[in-house]
Amino acid sequence: MSSTAPPSDSATFCADLVRSHDFPRYVATLFVPAAERRALLALYAFNAEIVRVRDQVSQPLPGEIRLQWWTDMLSGHVHGSAEGNPVAAELLRAIRDYDLPVEPLSLLADEHQFDLYNDPMPTMAALEGYLAATSSALFALAARIMAPPSEAAEHLARHAGLAQGIVQVVANLPRDAAHRQLFLPQQVLASHNCNMEDVFAGKETPSLRAVLDQLAGEARQHLTTASSLLPQVPPSVRPAFLLLSQTRADLKRLSKPGRNPFAPQPASRLRTLWTLWRASRSREFTK
């Protein structure tokens, strides 16, 4: 599990990892002070390592072992190799420097065990629980790096994560369907008479369109709530939520009439840079 790197290179390793595998979050860190940026990159590199597990294994068991290494490391049960892993070393540094709680980090790793299997997401409540423990937790931990914890920031993080996570579910449909993995809740599919096998076959049907429209509506509601909560947190915390601007842009792009939901349409890196730069200078995030 460990990747050997001198401590002086660990921060660079994390930055490169996030830039390669989570470009929007990498760009968002460019607009925060250097000390907080290093901690954010450690957090996001940890997330990138966890999310990548399902692409690095062909069977669930090796994936579970990799995820277990991280939960053991966070609980202090991994000795020696943790310091040799640049992401682990940087994450432990961020936990120490910013008094980050370990439980949400362990829960994030545990929750991603779902990714290793092709079990369908049963209900909208189950999807929201998954996203709260993953996307929302990342926002909440990022906010704690930027400023002392507060109930307002936690509330904002929940809605920000649900919005961002639901949009990602829609965006990732081409890839997930190709792997016969479905994060679209069965409950929502059934309510629109949408056949799961049609989704796996890449068939664009009116039923699937209705499912995606419902999810887009849910994401839009969470975005609206998050935007209304943003003024309630100090300006120093708001850069942790810059990704909301990218989520808003992605939702608009993915909601265009006539869009083929099975055609991958990632945002260009230049467009991502532009979107987040504009947001960093807007009154929403600075006043």
Side-chain angles (χ1 to χ4, degrees):
M1 259 317 290
S2 62
S3 305
T4 303
S8 59
D9 292 342
S10 295
T12 301
F13 182 94
C14 287
D16 290 344
L17 181 68
V18 179
R19 184 169 61 242
S20 298
H21 296 283
D22 194 347
F23 190 68
R25 282 196 176 93
Y26 171 78
V27 174
T29 68
L30 299 178
F31 305 102
V32 303
E36 286 81 1
R37 179 171 189 256
R38 181 173 179 176
L40 287 173
L41 285 168
L43 174 65
Y44 298 155
F46 163 71
N47 181 64
E49 288 283 72
I50 297 300
V51 170
R52 289 168 64 223
V53 167
R54 77 166 174 173
D55 294 327
Q56 295 173 326
V57 298
S58 56
Q59 297 293 329
L61 184 57
E64 290 209 19
I65 292 170
R66 290 184 182 223
L67 293 176
Q68 187 63 48
W69 185 91
W70 285 102
T71 55
D72 287 347
M73 187 278 295
L74 288 164
S75 63
H77 294 148
V78 173
H79 302 288
S81 61
E83 288 74 15
N85 181 306
V87 178
E90 284 294 296
L91 183 62
L92 290 171
R93 182 182 188 275
I95 290 170
R96 182 188 70 239
D97 290 354
Y98 292 91
D99 196 24
L100 297 180
V102 170
E103 186 179 1
L105 293 163
S106 295
L107 184 58
L108 185 148
D110 287 342
E111 201 68 32
H112 277 291
Q113 287 193 22
F114 179 88
D115 307 1
L116 303 175
Y117 299 87
N118 286 345
D119 297 334
M121 186 65 71
T123 63
M124 195 68 203
L127 176 60
E128 289 180 349
Y130 172 90
L131 296 177
T134 53
S135 298
S136 296
L138 277 179
F139 276 113
L141 288 161
R144 289 180 74 120
I145 288 170
M146 300 305 297
S150 70
E151 191 173 322
E154 291 282 336
H155 193 196
L156 170 56
R158 176 173 175 79
H159 288 284
L162 291 174
Q164 194 259 347
I166 292 170
V167 169
Q168 281 301 111
V169 166
V170 175
N172 290 340
L173 180 61
R175 162 199 164 143
D176 291 340
H179 288 96
R180 295 185 65 82
Q181 186 169 39
L182 214 53
F183 285 81
L184 305 178
Q186 275 186 309
Q187 172 193 42
V188 180
L189 292 170
S191 70
H192 294 287
N193 296 313
C194 184
N195 186 289
M196 196 182 299
E197 287 301 322
D198 286 346
V199 179
F200 290 147
K203 293 181 181 178
E204 186 181 358
T205 63
S207 295
L208 176 61
R209 172 60 56 196
V211 169
L212 297 178
D213 285 348
Q214 179 176 335
L215 287 176
E218 296 274 355
R220 208 167 283 115
Q221 285 186 354
H222 287 298
L223 258 178
T224 300
T225 302
S227 295
S228 72
L229 293 171
L230 202 54
Q232 298 179 24
V233 300
S236 60
V237 179
R238 293 176 203 167
F241 296 95
L242 271 176
L243 203 63
L244 281 172
S245 61
Q246 183 64 46
T247 297
R248 193 177 293 121
D250 288 343
L251 181 58
K252 184 178 179 181
R253 178 170 49 85
L254 294 168
S255 300
K256 285 183 178 176
R259 183 189 75 88
N260 178 0
F262 294 103
Q265 294 177 316
S268 74
R269 290 195 163 198
L270 185 60
R271 176 62 64 182
T272 298
L273 278 164
W274 173 246
T275 298
L276 290 165
W277 177 80
R278 284 186 63 191
S280 74
R281 298 171 66 87
S282 70
R283 292 180 61 85
E284 182 181 22
F285 289 98
T286 59
K287 300 294 183 184

